[in-house]
Amino acid sequence: MKAIAQALPKSIQMTLTSNECSLHAKPVPLMMIDGKELCPACQIAKENQSFEQSFQKEILDRAAKKKKNTLYMRSVFADETIREASFGKFFAESSEESKNKDLAVQSFKHYKSGKTFTTLLQGDTGVGKSHLAMSILRNLNEKLDVECVFVSVREMMAKIRDSFDNKESKFTQLYFVEMLSRVDYLCLDDLGAETGAITTNKTATNFTLEVLTAILEARQSKSTIITSNLSRNQMELMYDKKLISRCLKNIAVIKFTDTRDKRISVFDLSQEV
């Protein structure tokens, strides 16, 4: 009884009563605690339960925060401006851009509803494919308890090659394959650019094919977003037809045909310095 009393906060006023609590192996005398007749053992149990629940919540909150941070801490961008991309910042200047923005929003809504499929954004450089892909991921990251990551395929392959000679680098083949296989939603950005100039008869190196095969085969039951200048037929020629066909069997295509390169703008040298 003395040990129980010592475990209670020192600031409260306590006096024993003649009643006992029979909820324990041995009856515990009740006490007047701050004007209420209570069982000190039950009070300590409640305090411990409250602490455990609070501690468990903190663990879950930290895990959720770690998931949310994956998109910003683990993504690999070729263009850092894409990090802040959103649907609100995508300004459509043509009917095609407006239509494709709406399709990207629909893609997000279908992902949010639990559907699994691949979204392929096709078109020339600078038309907004990466912007819309990142916008989909940001909305998923904010609205769902999921882990997302955006990776430039060209930058990823460069980092992996660098790790061959740089033993301090964490960006190994295993690092990327494990992470990109694990996350709930992945964007492989600018697929095909890692091979250099894109032609209809160019093929990926065996090493590139090995890395992408490991990732895409592991993601067959997960949703993936791909941006590329390549058509699906060109992908099958450049990589492996069987692999691409299997991974893109359930595909939604958002295609830019007429949109101009939005990154090209004229700087007026006659403006005031």
Side-chain angles (χ1 to χ4, degrees), residues 107-153:
S107 177
F108 155 68
K109 290 180 178 177
H110 284 299
Y111 284 141
K112 185 182 176 185
S113 73
K115 294 171 185 164
T116 302
F117 61 98
T118 297
T119 298
L120 174 61
L121 293 104
Q122 290 179 312
D124 290 336
T125 299
V127 296
K129 306 185 300 295
S130 301
H131 187 120
L132 289 178
M134 183 60 176
S135 300
I136 295 171
L137 286 186
R138 283 191 69 180
N139 276 269
L140 289 168
N141 196 56
E142 292 168 6
K143 302 292 171 53
L144 302 177
D145 181 25
V146 294
E147 193 172 23
C148 307
V149 74
F150 181 106
V151 171
S152 161
V153 178

Side-chain angles (χ1 to χ4, degrees), residues 8 10 28 35 72 77 89 100-101 122 132 143 145 155 166 179 182 185 201 203 207 210 216 226 249 252 270:
L8 292 168
K10 303 297 182 185
V28 176
Y72 302 102
F77 300 96
K89 293 178 181 178
N100 286 348
K101 178 180 179 180
Q122 290 179 312
L132 289 178
K143 302 292 171 53
D145 181 25
E155 292 296 317
N166 180 7
M179 178 176 66
R182 182 194 73 234
Y185 294 95
N201 60 357
T203 58
F207 178 64
E210 178 185 326
L216 290 172
I226 297 173
K249 61 186 177 183
S270 65

Side-chain angles (χ1 to χ4, degrees), residues 121-125 129 153-154 189-204 227-239:
L121 293 104
Q122 290 179 312
D124 290 336
T125 299
K129 306 185 300 295
V153 178
R154 177 170 57 83
D189 185 49
D190 214 3
L191 185 65
E194 77 285 352
T195 65
I198 294 174
T199 64
T200 56
N201 60 357
K202 193 170 184 68
T203 58
T227 78
S228 182
N229 294 9
L230 300 172
S231 67
R232 176 168 175 165
N233 288 338
Q234 288 174 317
M235 286 184 194
E236 291 177 352
L237 289 171
M238 183 174 288
Y239 300 104

Side-chain angles (χ1 to χ4, degrees), residues 203-211 213:
T203 58
T205 65
N206 288 336
F207 178 64
T208 298
L209 186 58
E210 178 185 326
V211 173
T213 297

